[in-house]
Amino acid sequence: MDALLALSTELAGAVEQAARYVVGVNARRRFGSTGVHWRPGLIITADHTVEVDEDITVTTPDGRTLAATVAGRDPAIDIAVLRVDAGDLAVAEIATEPARVGHIVLAIGRGPRASWGLVSAIGDGRRRHPETGDWLSLDLTLYPGFSGGPLIDARGRVVGMTTSGAARHFQIAIPAGAVGRTVDELMRRGRIPRPYLGVGGQSVRLSEALRERLRTDQRSAVIVVDVQPDSPAAAAGLMVGDVIVSLGGARITEPGDLRSVLRPQQVGETVTLSVARGGDPRDVRLTVGERTRRS
Amino acid sequence: MIASAPLDFAGLADTLRRVTVAISDDGAARGSGVLWPRGHVVTNAHVVRRSRVIIGTVESDHLQAELVARSVDDDLALLRLVGIELPTARLTETAARVGSLVVAVGNPLGLRGALTAGIVHGIGPITRNGAPWIHADIRLAPGNSGGPLADVSGAVVGINAMVAGGLALAVPIARVLEFVRSAGVAPR
């Protein structure tokens, strides 16, 4: 039983280690969520748990309450970054190697509270965000309030940020690498830009004939019902009635996909949209704009 | 670092099965119990509703026990074994740590001696200013009630009592000791 004892001690030690940099995030009405002190003064949490932009606080492991402001949000991968005056709050140790299927991992919630399990798969089968690295699917329970907390390995190092908000029925974690890139983007630009296309659409079913002509097996796409003047979509020549099938290689099956497939770092980049215009497939090159506060 | 020795959950299960009993009071199995202190069984109050019950061990069924004390507030009951000597469970001497491995042995849904494994999720009250409970991230079912929550050395850290929000709640061993002392039985 020595190996079991050693593992048990290692897991408890990992939780103790993580408890030094895990905070409570108080940014929604019902109950709080969890955050990770990722870099000095920057707390990351799950974007869907940040329901307000003002009067946000975080609770430190020793019970202090710190005022926090939203430094940036990336709803596409469910990350929000908060700025705090962290003082001597410990900073998370981030794992340098990615998690592997079969690794024992722990999800940590404010308190600390812990649950354990395995990395059961990498990717959710849809690969919606190929450039962010795939989500980690977890065989463990994310209890209420755990979202935004760290997924740690048996040594207490962060391998991801857990969230139950991005994919209902799935317990997932955003890999630490993707979280790090979002934080990098924030540091580089001073904010997390929000991508902007300037197009409104509705879901439309693709007929068998159209699917064949487009060489796709997807059953729905998005028909453009509105192109905002002076927008990236207008500049690219997108027209009402165009059917958008994919954007930058990612499938567009419903209007929400137009927002969720774009990454903050793609602002200013040119992407290719596959559209059907009058039943004929064509590619449209579009330079992604940045959504201002008002638009 | 983890030693190269195997993770011996099976050996741990054997150890705990020897000190875990099944309890029935009217023919149907109601729950589990822990052989402790010597000559006694601790279980949940909600498992024992009569003054005499039948207990089953790994070796024999139909052993008799009688109720000594019952506390609905703590959900604990103490039984005395009638005319038989049985092994006694070992209790933990340290406080449970969040994240440490725990196992439960019991009779979930009537399945005798079933083992499940998990970790300590947190330690705290379930009502404002209430007594602390061990919250464990472990799968339990009706029939585990009254059985042991143990660390991986086989020492009992709590008595499983209920499931809430997917978490197992166990009475910490410190409260079990108090209860047994207040019943006038030496805790050993």
Side-chain angles (χ1 to χ4, degrees), chain A residues 1 3-5 7-8 11-13 15-16 106 113-116 143 146 155, chain B residues 1 5-9 12 97-101 118-119 121 137 152 165-167:
Chain A
M1 267 179 262
L4 273 178
L5 267 178
L7 174 60
S8 182
L11 293 178
V15 173
E16 244 160 51
L106 296 152
R113 294 181 297 142
S115 71
W116 83 317
Y143 292 98
F146 268 46
R155 295 208 177 102
Chain B
M1 282 299 290
L7 298 175
D8 188 15
F9 278 109
L12 181 57
R97 288 172 77 194
V98 176
S100 60
L101 288 173
I119 63 166
H121 168 87
D137 178 37
V152 290
L167 287 166

PDB file of all heavy atoms in Angstrom, chain A residues 1 3-5 7-8 11-13 15-16 106 113-116 143 146 155, chain B residues 1 5-9 12 97-101 118-119 121 137 152 165-167:
ATOM      1  N   MET A   1       0.820  -1.213   0.000  1.00  0.00           N
ATOM      2  CA  MET A   1       0.000   0.000   0.000  1.00  0.00           C
ATOM      3  C   MET A   1       0.856   1.267   0.000  1.00  0.00           C
ATOM      4  O   MET A   1       0.335   2.375   0.006  1.00  0.00           O
ATOM      5  CB  MET A   1      -0.922   0.012   1.216  1.00  0.00           C
ATOM      6  CG  MET A   1      -2.293  -0.580   0.907  1.00  0.00           C
ATOM      7  SD  MET A   1      -3.307  -0.572   2.369  1.00  0.00           S
ATOM      8  CE  MET A   1      -3.124  -2.232   2.951  1.00  0.00           C
ATOM      9  N   ALA A   3       2.679   2.596  -2.335  1.00  0.00           N
ATOM     10  CA  ALA A   3       2.515   3.398  -3.547  1.00  0.00           C
ATOM     11  C   ALA A   3       1.232   4.219  -3.468  1.00  0.00           C
ATOM     12  O   ALA A   3       1.192   5.374  -3.888  1.00  0.00           O
ATOM     13  CB  ALA A   3       2.505   2.495  -4.781  1.00  0.00           C
ATOM     14  N   LEU A   4       0.187   3.619  -2.904  1.00  0.00           N
ATOM     15  CA  LEU A   4      -1.072   4.342  -2.730  1.00  0.00           C
ATOM     16  C   LEU A   4      -0.891   5.518  -1.786  1.00  0.00           C
ATOM     17  O   LEU A   4      -1.381   6.616  -2.031  1.00  0.00           O
ATOM     18  CB  LEU A   4      -2.145   3.407  -2.160  1.00  0.00           C
ATOM     19  CG  LEU A   4      -2.950   2.585  -3.162  1.00  0.00           C
ATOM     20  CD1 LEU A   4      -3.928   1.690  -2.423  1.00  0.00           C
ATOM     21  CD2 LEU A   4      -3.690   3.499  -4.116  1.00  0.00           C
ATOM     22  N   LEU A   5      -0.170   5.263  -0.681  1.00  0.00           N
ATOM     23  CA  LEU A   5       0.072   6.336   0.288  1.00  0.00           C
ATOM     24  C   LEU A   5       0.861   7.469  -0.347  1.00  0.00           C
ATOM     25  O   LEU A   5       0.572   8.648  -0.134  1.00  0.00           O
ATOM     26  CB  LEU A   5       0.845   5.787   1.495  1.00  0.00           C
ATOM     27  CG  LEU A   5      -0.005   5.327   2.680  1.00  0.00           C
ATOM     28  CD1 LEU A   5       0.895   4.770   3.768  1.00  0.00           C
ATOM     29  CD2 LEU A   5      -0.839   6.481   3.224  1.00  0.00           C
ATOM     30  N   LEU A   7       0.991   8.269  -3.514  1.00  0.00           N
ATOM     31  CA  LEU A   7       0.121   8.982  -4.455  1.00  0.00           C
ATOM     32  C   LEU A   7      -0.833   9.905  -3.700  1.00  0.00           C
ATOM     33  O   LEU A   7      -1.039  11.064  -4.068  1.00  0.00           O
ATOM     34  CB  LEU A   7      -0.667   7.986  -5.310  1.00  0.00           C
ATOM     35  CG  LEU A   7      -1.725   8.575  -6.245  1.00  0.00           C
ATOM     36  CD1 LEU A   7      -1.103   9.534  -7.252  1.00  0.00           C
ATOM     37  CD2 LEU A   7      -2.485   7.464  -6.982  1.00  0.00           C
ATOM     38  N   SER A   8      -1.402   9.375  -2.616  1.00  0.00           N
ATOM     39  CA  SER A   8      -2.348  10.163  -1.816  1.00  0.00           C
ATOM     40  C   SER A   8      -1.682  11.427  -1.267  1.00  0.00           C
ATOM     41  O   SER A   8      -2.242  12.524  -1.326  1.00  0.00           O
ATOM     42  CB  SER A   8      -2.880   9.301  -0.671  1.00  0.00           C
ATOM     43  OG  SER A   8      -3.820  10.013   0.090  1.00  0.00           O
ATOM     44  N   LEU A  11      -1.088  13.921  -4.071  1.00  0.00           N
ATOM     45  CA  LEU A  11      -2.309  14.628  -4.491  1.00  0.00           C
ATOM     46  C   LEU A  11      -2.683  15.703  -3.473  1.00  0.00           C
ATOM     47  O   LEU A  11      -3.034  16.831  -3.835  1.00  0.00           O
ATOM     48  CB  LEU A  11      -3.467  13.644  -4.668  1.00  0.00           C
ATOM     49  CG  LEU A  11      -3.340  12.633  -5.815  1.00  0.00           C
ATOM     50  CD1 LEU A  11      -4.539  11.688  -5.838  1.00  0.00           C
ATOM     51  CD2 LEU A  11      -3.203  13.339  -7.158  1.00  0.00           C
ATOM     52  N   ALA A  12      -2.610  15.354  -2.179  1.00  0.00           N
ATOM     53  CA  ALA A  12      -2.945  16.337  -1.142  1.00  0.00           C
ATOM     54  C   ALA A  12      -1.956  17.499  -1.184  1.00  0.00           C
ATOM     55  O   ALA A  12      -2.333  18.666  -1.000  1.00  0.00           O
ATOM     56  CB  ALA A  12      -2.948  15.674   0.236  1.00  0.00           C
ATOM     57  N   GLY A  13      -0.691  17.181  -1.451  1.00  0.00           N
ATOM     58  CA  GLY A  13       0.334  18.227  -1.571  1.00  0.00           C
ATOM     59  C   GLY A  13       0.066  19.133  -2.759  1.00  0.00           C
ATOM     60  O   GLY A  13       0.253  20.352  -2.688  1.00  0.00           O
ATOM     61  N   VAL A  15      -2.856  19.827  -4.041  1.00  0.00           N
ATOM     62  CA  VAL A  15      -3.983  20.711  -3.702  1.00  0.00           C
ATOM     63  C   VAL A  15      -3.495  21.863  -2.829  1.00  0.00           C
ATOM     64  O   VAL A  15      -3.848  23.029  -3.041  1.00  0.00           O
ATOM     65  CB  VAL A  15      -5.110  19.933  -2.982  1.00  0.00           C
ATOM     66  CG1 VAL A  15      -6.199  20.890  -2.492  1.00  0.00           C
ATOM     67  CG2 VAL A  15      -5.718  18.891  -3.917  1.00  0.00           C
ATOM     68  N   GLU A  16      -2.632  21.548  -1.856  1.00  0.00           N
ATOM     69  CA  GLU A  16      -2.104  22.593  -0.978  1.00  0.00           C
ATOM     70  C   GLU A  16      -1.318  23.640  -1.772  1.00  0.00           C
ATOM     71  O   GLU A  16      -1.428  24.839  -1.541  1.00  0.00           O
ATOM     72  CB  GLU A  16      -1.160  21.955   0.051  1.00  0.00           C
ATOM     73  CG  GLU A  16      -1.656  22.101   1.471  1.00  0.00           C
ATOM     74  CD  GLU A  16      -1.007  21.069   2.385  1.00  0.00           C
ATOM     75  OE1 GLU A  16       0.235  20.947   2.372  1.00  0.00           O
ATOM     76  OE2 GLU A  16      -1.762  20.375   3.100  1.00  0.00           O
ATOM     77  N   LEU A 106      -6.483  16.982 -11.132  1.00  0.00           N
ATOM     78  CA  LEU A 106      -7.384  17.483 -10.094  1.00  0.00           C
ATOM     79  C   LEU A 106      -7.958  18.809 -10.562  1.00  0.00           C
ATOM     80  O   LEU A 106      -7.241  19.630 -11.136  1.00  0.00           O
ATOM     81  CB  LEU A 106      -6.611  17.717  -8.786  1.00  0.00           C
ATOM     82  CG  LEU A 106      -5.989  16.502  -8.094  1.00  0.00           C
ATOM     83  CD1 LEU A 106      -4.767  16.924  -7.295  1.00  0.00           C
ATOM     84  CD2 LEU A 106      -7.002  15.838  -7.183  1.00  0.00           C
ATOM     85  N   ARG A 113     -11.474  23.384  -2.647  1.00  0.00           N
ATOM     86  CA  ARG A 113     -12.197  22.136  -2.799  1.00  0.00           C
ATOM     87  C   ARG A 113     -11.571  21.431  -4.001  1.00  0.00           C
ATOM     88  O   ARG A 113     -11.004  22.088  -4.861  1.00  0.00           O
ATOM     89  CB  ARG A 113     -13.684  22.398  -3.028  1.00  0.00           C
ATOM     90  CG  ARG A 113     -14.355  23.026  -1.799  1.00  0.00           C
ATOM     91  CD  ARG A 113     -15.842  23.265  -2.007  1.00  0.00           C
ATOM     92  NE  ARG A 113     -16.083  24.198  -3.071  1.00  0.00           N
ATOM     93  CZ  ARG A 113     -17.087  24.077  -3.945  1.00  0.00           C
ATOM     94  NH1 ARG A 113     -17.917  23.058  -3.867  1.00  0.00           N
ATOM     95  NH2 ARG A 113     -17.258  24.965  -4.900  1.00  0.00           N
ATOM     96  N   ALA A 114     -11.686  20.121  -4.022  1.00  0.00           N
ATOM     97  CA  ALA A 114     -10.981  19.398  -5.082  1.00  0.00           C
ATOM     98  C   ALA A 114     -11.820  18.257  -5.621  1.00  0.00           C
ATOM     99  O   ALA A 114     -12.642  17.696  -4.906  1.00  0.00           O
ATOM    100  CB  ALA A 114      -9.657  18.852  -4.541  1.00  0.00           C
ATOM    101  N   SER A 115     -11.659  17.946  -6.888  1.00  0.00           N
ATOM    102  CA  SER A 115     -12.186  16.703  -7.430  1.00  0.00           C
ATOM    103  C   SER A 115     -11.101  16.111  -8.317  1.00  0.00           C
ATOM    104  O   SER A 115     -10.228  16.822  -8.795  1.00  0.00           O
ATOM    105  CB  SER A 115     -13.493  16.923  -8.193  1.00  0.00           C
ATOM    106  OG  SER A 115     -13.274  17.597  -9.395  1.00  0.00           O
ATOM    107  N   TRP A 116     -11.155  14.804  -8.486  1.00  0.00           N
ATOM    108  CA  TRP A 116     -10.081  14.156  -9.230  1.00  0.00           C
ATOM    109  C   TRP A 116     -10.640  13.288 -10.337  1.00  0.00           C
ATOM    110  O   TRP A 116     -11.802  12.900 -10.331  1.00  0.00           O
ATOM    111  CB  TRP A 116      -9.183  13.332  -8.301  1.00  0.00           C
ATOM    112  CG  TRP A 116      -9.695  11.966  -7.991  1.00  0.00           C
ATOM    113  CD1 TRP A 116     -10.995  11.632  -7.681  1.00  0.00           C
ATOM    114  CD2 TRP A 116      -8.959  10.757  -7.984  1.00  0.00           C
ATOM    115  NE1 TRP A 116     -11.077  10.293  -7.447  1.00  0.00           N
ATOM    116  CE2 TRP A 116      -9.858   9.726  -7.630  1.00  0.00           C
ATOM    117  CE3 TRP A 116      -7.617  10.447  -8.226  1.00  0.00           C
ATOM    118  CZ2 TRP A 116      -9.453   8.398  -7.524  1.00  0.00           C
ATOM    119  CZ3 TRP A 116      -7.227   9.128  -8.114  1.00  0.00           C
ATOM    120  CH2 TRP A 116      -8.134   8.119  -7.764  1.00  0.00           C
ATOM    121  N   TYR A 143     -17.791  20.678  -9.788  1.00  0.00           N
ATOM    122  CA  TYR A 143     -18.871  21.037  -8.873  1.00  0.00           C
ATOM    123  C   TYR A 143     -19.219  22.508  -9.043  1.00  0.00           C
ATOM    124  O   TYR A 143     -18.417  23.287  -9.573  1.00  0.00           O
ATOM    125  CB  TYR A 143     -18.447  20.711  -7.431  1.00  0.00           C
ATOM    126  CG  TYR A 143     -18.322  19.224  -7.206  1.00  0.00           C
ATOM    127  CD1 TYR A 143     -17.085  18.586  -7.258  1.00  0.00           C
ATOM    128  CD2 TYR A 143     -19.456  18.446  -7.006  1.00  0.00           C
ATOM    129  CE1 TYR A 143     -16.978  17.214  -7.092  1.00  0.00           C
ATOM    130  CE2 TYR A 143     -19.360  17.074  -6.828  1.00  0.00           C
ATOM    131  CZ  TYR A 143     -18.131  16.465  -6.874  1.00  0.00           C
ATOM    132  OH  TYR A 143     -18.029  15.111  -6.715  1.00  0.00           O
ATOM    133  N   PHE A 146     -16.784  25.727  -9.550  1.00  0.00           N
ATOM    134  CA  PHE A 146     -15.436  25.329  -9.970  1.00  0.00           C
ATOM    135  C   PHE A 146     -14.983  26.044 -11.242  1.00  0.00           C
ATOM    136  O   PHE A 146     -13.780  26.178 -11.475  1.00  0.00           O
ATOM    137  CB  PHE A 146     -15.364  23.816 -10.217  1.00  0.00           C
ATOM    138  CG  PHE A 146     -14.942  23.006  -9.015  1.00  0.00           C
ATOM    139  CD1 PHE A 146     -15.512  23.246  -7.777  1.00  0.00           C
ATOM    140  CD2 PHE A 146     -13.979  22.013  -9.122  1.00  0.00           C
ATOM    141  CE1 PHE A 146     -15.123  22.502  -6.663  1.00  0.00           C
ATOM    142  CE2 PHE A 146     -13.577  21.265  -8.020  1.00  0.00           C
ATOM    143  CZ  PHE A 146     -14.155  21.508  -6.795  1.00  0.00           C
ATOM    144  N   ARG A 155       1.520  17.213  -9.430  1.00  0.00           N
ATOM    145  CA  ARG A 155       2.544  18.004  -8.743  1.00  0.00           C
ATOM    146  C   ARG A 155       2.057  19.411  -8.437  1.00  0.00           C
ATOM    147  O   ARG A 155       2.834  20.253  -7.993  1.00  0.00           O
ATOM    148  CB  ARG A 155       3.807  18.085  -9.597  1.00  0.00           C
ATOM    149  CG  ARG A 155       4.449  16.731  -9.770  1.00  0.00           C
ATOM    150  CD  ARG A 155       5.939  16.859  -9.972  1.00  0.00           C
ATOM    151  NE  ARG A 155       6.515  15.527 -10.060  1.00  0.00           N
ATOM    152  CZ  ARG A 155       6.860  14.964 -11.205  1.00  0.00           C
ATOM    153  NH1 ARG A 155       6.740  15.629 -12.324  1.00  0.00           N
ATOM    154  NH2 ARG A 155       7.354  13.760 -11.217  1.00  0.00           N
TER     155      ARG A 155
ATOM    156  N   MET B   1       7.801  11.285  -5.184  1.00  0.00           N
ATOM    157  CA  MET B   1       7.676  10.415  -6.362  1.00  0.00           C
ATOM    158  C   MET B   1       6.936   9.128  -5.993  1.00  0.00           C
ATOM    159  O   MET B   1       7.016   8.631  -4.877  1.00  0.00           O
ATOM    160  CB  MET B   1       9.072  10.063  -6.894  1.00  0.00           C
ATOM    161  CG  MET B   1       9.717  11.171  -7.703  1.00  0.00           C
ATOM    162  SD  MET B   1       8.756  11.595  -9.168  1.00  0.00           S
ATOM    163  CE  MET B   1       9.003  10.119 -10.163  1.00  0.00           C
ATOM    164  N   ALA B   5       6.067   0.169  -6.860  1.00  0.00           N
ATOM    165  CA  ALA B   5       5.151  -0.858  -6.365  1.00  0.00           C
ATOM    166  C   ALA B   5       3.756  -0.604  -6.931  1.00  0.00           C
ATOM    167  O   ALA B   5       3.406   0.533  -7.228  1.00  0.00           O
ATOM    168  CB  ALA B   5       5.110  -0.814  -4.841  1.00  0.00           C
ATOM    169  N   PRO B   6       2.962  -1.663  -7.119  1.00  0.00           N
ATOM    170  CA  PRO B   6       1.631  -1.457  -7.688  1.00  0.00           C
ATOM    171  C   PRO B   6       0.719  -0.706  -6.727  1.00  0.00           C
ATOM    172  O   PRO B   6       0.928  -0.719  -5.516  1.00  0.00           O
ATOM    173  CB  PRO B   6       1.127  -2.886  -7.919  1.00  0.00           C
ATOM    174  CG  PRO B   6       1.902  -3.735  -6.971  1.00  0.00           C
ATOM    175  CD  PRO B   6       3.242  -3.079  -6.828  1.00  0.00           C
ATOM    176  N   LEU B   7      -0.275  -0.029  -7.301  1.00  0.00           N
ATOM    177  CA  LEU B   7      -1.284   0.624  -6.480  1.00  0.00           C
ATOM    178  C   LEU B   7      -2.271  -0.458  -6.058  1.00  0.00           C
ATOM    179  O   LEU B   7      -3.098  -0.891  -6.835  1.00  0.00           O
ATOM    180  CB  LEU B   7      -1.993   1.716  -7.287  1.00  0.00           C
ATOM    181  CG  LEU B   7      -1.109   2.866  -7.772  1.00  0.00           C
ATOM    182  CD1 LEU B   7      -1.900   3.811  -8.664  1.00  0.00           C
ATOM    183  CD2 LEU B   7      -0.518   3.622  -6.601  1.00  0.00           C
ATOM    184  N   ASP B   8      -2.157  -0.906  -4.805  1.00  0.00           N
ATOM    185  CA  ASP B   8      -2.868  -2.105  -4.379  1.00  0.00           C
ATOM    186  C   ASP B   8      -4.235  -1.775  -3.779  1.00  0.00           C
ATOM    187  O   ASP B   8      -4.449  -1.895  -2.579  1.00  0.00           O
ATOM    188  CB  ASP B   8      -2.000  -2.894  -3.394  1.00  0.00           C
ATOM    189  CG  ASP B   8      -2.610  -4.247  -3.063  1.00  0.00           C
ATOM    190  OD1 ASP B   8      -3.528  -4.679  -3.790  1.00  0.00           O
ATOM    191  OD2 ASP B   8      -2.184  -4.862  -2.066  1.00  0.00           O
ATOM    192  N   PHE B   9      -5.167  -1.375  -4.643  1.00  0.00           N
ATOM    193  CA  PHE B   9      -6.529  -1.109  -4.162  1.00  0.00           C
ATOM    194  C   PHE B   9      -7.209  -2.401  -3.710  1.00  0.00           C
ATOM    195  O   PHE B   9      -8.045  -2.390  -2.821  1.00  0.00           O
ATOM    196  CB  PHE B   9      -7.367  -0.438  -5.257  1.00  0.00           C
ATOM    197  CG  PHE B   9      -7.152   1.038  -5.376  1.00  0.00           C
ATOM    198  CD1 PHE B   9      -6.477   1.578  -6.456  1.00  0.00           C
ATOM    199  CD2 PHE B   9      -7.641   1.913  -4.405  1.00  0.00           C
ATOM    200  CE1 PHE B   9      -6.276   2.942  -6.573  1.00  0.00           C
ATOM    201  CE2 PHE B   9      -7.457   3.281  -4.513  1.00  0.00           C
ATOM    202  CZ  PHE B   9      -6.772   3.802  -5.599  1.00  0.00           C
ATOM    203  N   LEU B  12      -6.253  -3.228  -0.204  1.00  0.00           N
ATOM    204  CA  LEU B  12      -6.922  -2.260   0.663  1.00  0.00           C
ATOM    205  C   LEU B  12      -8.390  -2.648   0.854  1.00  0.00           C
ATOM    206  O   LEU B  12      -8.929  -2.606   1.962  1.00  0.00           O
ATOM    207  CB  LEU B  12      -6.804  -0.871   0.014  1.00  0.00           C
ATOM    208  CG  LEU B  12      -7.398   0.312   0.751  1.00  0.00           C
ATOM    209  CD1 LEU B  12      -6.813   0.459   2.138  1.00  0.00           C
ATOM    210  CD2 LEU B  12      -7.160   1.584  -0.074  1.00  0.00           C
ATOM    211  N   ARG B  97      -6.823  15.528   4.746  1.00  0.00           N
ATOM    212  CA  ARG B  97      -6.311  16.620   3.906  1.00  0.00           C
ATOM    213  C   ARG B  97      -7.088  16.657   2.593  1.00  0.00           C
ATOM    214  O   ARG B  97      -7.314  15.608   1.984  1.00  0.00           O
ATOM    215  CB  ARG B  97      -4.830  16.391   3.577  1.00  0.00           C
ATOM    216  CG  ARG B  97      -3.882  16.602   4.738  1.00  0.00           C
ATOM    217  CD  ARG B  97      -2.481  16.165   4.342  1.00  0.00           C
ATOM    218  NE  ARG B  97      -1.797  17.149   3.486  1.00  0.00           N
ATOM    219  CZ  ARG B  97      -0.684  16.872   2.799  1.00  0.00           C
ATOM    220  NH1 ARG B  97      -0.170  15.669   2.823  1.00  0.00           N
ATOM    221  NH2 ARG B  97      -0.107  17.811   2.072  1.00  0.00           N
ATOM    222  N   VAL B  98      -7.435  17.842   2.158  1.00  0.00           N
ATOM    223  CA  VAL B  98      -8.128  17.971   0.876  1.00  0.00           C
ATOM    224  C   VAL B  98      -7.205  17.456  -0.229  1.00  0.00           C
ATOM    225  O   VAL B  98      -6.025  17.807  -0.270  1.00  0.00           O
ATOM    226  CB  VAL B  98      -8.526  19.438   0.597  1.00  0.00           C
ATOM    227  CG1 VAL B  98      -9.157  19.574  -0.790  1.00  0.00           C
ATOM    228  CG2 VAL B  98      -9.486  19.935   1.662  1.00  0.00           C
ATOM    229  N   GLY B  99      -7.741  16.597  -1.068  1.00  0.00           N
ATOM    230  CA  GLY B  99      -6.949  16.049  -2.169  1.00  0.00           C
ATOM    231  C   GLY B  99      -6.418  14.658  -1.885  1.00  0.00           C
ATOM    232  O   GLY B  99      -6.009  13.957  -2.805  1.00  0.00           O
ATOM    233  N   SER B 100      -6.413  14.241  -0.606  1.00  0.00           N
ATOM    234  CA  SER B 100      -5.865  12.911  -0.320  1.00  0.00           C
ATOM    235  C   SER B 100      -6.863  11.833  -0.763  1.00  0.00           C
ATOM    236  O   SER B 100      -8.069  12.041  -0.792  1.00  0.00           O
ATOM    237  CB  SER B 100      -5.524  12.768   1.162  1.00  0.00           C
ATOM    238  OG  SER B 100      -6.666  12.947   1.951  1.00  0.00           O
ATOM    239  N   LEU B 101      -6.321  10.684  -1.120  1.00  0.00           N
ATOM    240  CA  LEU B 101      -7.147   9.579  -1.609  1.00  0.00           C
ATOM    241  C   LEU B 101      -7.957   8.975  -0.470  1.00  0.00           C
ATOM    242  O   LEU B 101      -7.441   8.809   0.632  1.00  0.00           O
ATOM    243  CB  LEU B 101      -6.263   8.476  -2.202  1.00  0.00           C
ATOM    244  CG  LEU B 101      -5.576   8.734  -3.541  1.00  0.00           C
ATOM    245  CD1 LEU B 101      -4.611   7.583  -3.843  1.00  0.00           C
ATOM    246  CD2 LEU B 101      -6.602   8.865  -4.646  1.00  0.00           C
ATOM    247  N   GLY B 118     -11.926   7.747  -4.310  1.00  0.00           N
ATOM    248  CA  GLY B 118     -12.055   9.162  -4.643  1.00  0.00           C
ATOM    249  C   GLY B 118     -11.074   9.972  -3.823  1.00  0.00           C
ATOM    250  O   GLY B 118     -10.070   9.435  -3.338  1.00  0.00           O
ATOM    251  N   ILE B 119     -11.372  11.250  -3.698  1.00  0.00           N
ATOM    252  CA  ILE B 119     -10.495  12.096  -2.873  1.00  0.00           C
ATOM    253  C   ILE B 119     -11.338  12.935  -1.919  1.00  0.00           C
ATOM    254  O   ILE B 119     -12.542  13.094  -2.112  1.00  0.00           O
ATOM    255  CB  ILE B 119      -9.621  13.049  -3.725  1.00  0.00           C
ATOM    256  CG1 ILE B 119     -10.488  14.037  -4.517  1.00  0.00           C
ATOM    257  CG2 ILE B 119      -8.684  12.282  -4.640  1.00  0.00           C
ATOM    258  CD1 ILE B 119      -9.711  15.193  -5.099  1.00  0.00           C
ATOM    259  N   HIS B 121     -12.772  16.144  -0.907  1.00  0.00           N
ATOM    260  CA  HIS B 121     -13.148  17.310  -1.713  1.00  0.00           C
ATOM    261  C   HIS B 121     -13.036  18.590  -0.888  1.00  0.00           C
ATOM    262  O   HIS B 121     -12.606  19.632  -1.371  1.00  0.00           O
ATOM    263  CB  HIS B 121     -14.587  17.099  -2.187  1.00  0.00           C
ATOM    264  CG  HIS B 121     -15.265  18.290  -2.778  1.00  0.00           C
ATOM    265  ND1 HIS B 121     -15.163  18.611  -4.101  1.00  0.00           N
ATOM    266  CD2 HIS B 121     -16.062  19.247  -2.222  1.00  0.00           C
ATOM    267  CE1 HIS B 121     -15.866  19.706  -4.348  1.00  0.00           C
ATOM    268  NE2 HIS B 121     -16.418  20.107  -3.231  1.00  0.00           N
ATOM    269  N   ASP B 137     -15.209  13.471  -2.956  1.00  0.00           N
ATOM    270  CA  ASP B 137     -15.502  13.300  -4.378  1.00  0.00           C
ATOM    271  C   ASP B 137     -15.380  11.804  -4.668  1.00  0.00           C
ATOM    272  O   ASP B 137     -14.337  11.318  -5.105  1.00  0.00           O
ATOM    273  CB  ASP B 137     -14.490  14.118  -5.185  1.00  0.00           C
ATOM    274  CG  ASP B 137     -14.689  13.966  -6.679  1.00  0.00           C
ATOM    275  OD1 ASP B 137     -15.834  13.880  -7.119  1.00  0.00           O
ATOM    276  OD2 ASP B 137     -13.673  13.943  -7.405  1.00  0.00           O
ATOM    277  N   VAL B 152      -5.857   5.526   2.473  1.00  0.00           N
ATOM    278  CA  VAL B 152      -5.309   4.388   1.735  1.00  0.00           C
ATOM    279  C   VAL B 152      -4.387   3.512   2.580  1.00  0.00           C
ATOM    280  O   VAL B 152      -3.857   2.515   2.088  1.00  0.00           O
ATOM    281  CB  VAL B 152      -4.605   4.828   0.431  1.00  0.00           C
ATOM    282  CG1 VAL B 152      -5.641   5.309  -0.577  1.00  0.00           C
ATOM    283  CG2 VAL B 152      -3.554   5.895   0.680  1.00  0.00           C
ATOM    284  N   GLY B 165     -25.625  16.625  -3.774  1.00  0.00           N
ATOM    285  CA  GLY B 165     -25.025  17.294  -4.925  1.00  0.00           C
ATOM    286  C   GLY B 165     -23.907  16.478  -5.553  1.00  0.00           C
ATOM    287  O   GLY B 165     -22.939  17.024  -6.052  1.00  0.00           O
ATOM    288  N   GLY B 166     -24.033  15.146  -5.491  1.00  0.00           N
ATOM    289  CA  GLY B 166     -23.021  14.286  -6.087  1.00  0.00           C
ATOM    290  C   GLY B 166     -21.840  14.013  -5.171  1.00  0.00           C
ATOM    291  O   GLY B 166     -20.978  13.210  -5.485  1.00  0.00           O
ATOM    292  N   LEU B 167     -21.798  14.698  -4.030  1.00  0.00           N
ATOM    293  CA  LEU B 167     -20.688  14.503  -3.093  1.00  0.00           C
ATOM    294  C   LEU B 167     -21.115  13.586  -1.953  1.00  0.00           C
ATOM    295  O   LEU B 167     -22.267  13.619  -1.515  1.00  0.00           O
ATOM    296  CB  LEU B 167     -20.266  15.844  -2.481  1.00  0.00           C
ATOM    297  CG  LEU B 167     -19.507  16.800  -3.398  1.00  0.00           C
ATOM    298  CD1 LEU B 167     -19.469  18.187  -2.769  1.00  0.00           C
ATOM    299  CD2 LEU B 167     -18.094  16.284  -3.633  1.00  0.00           C
TER     300      LEU B 167
END
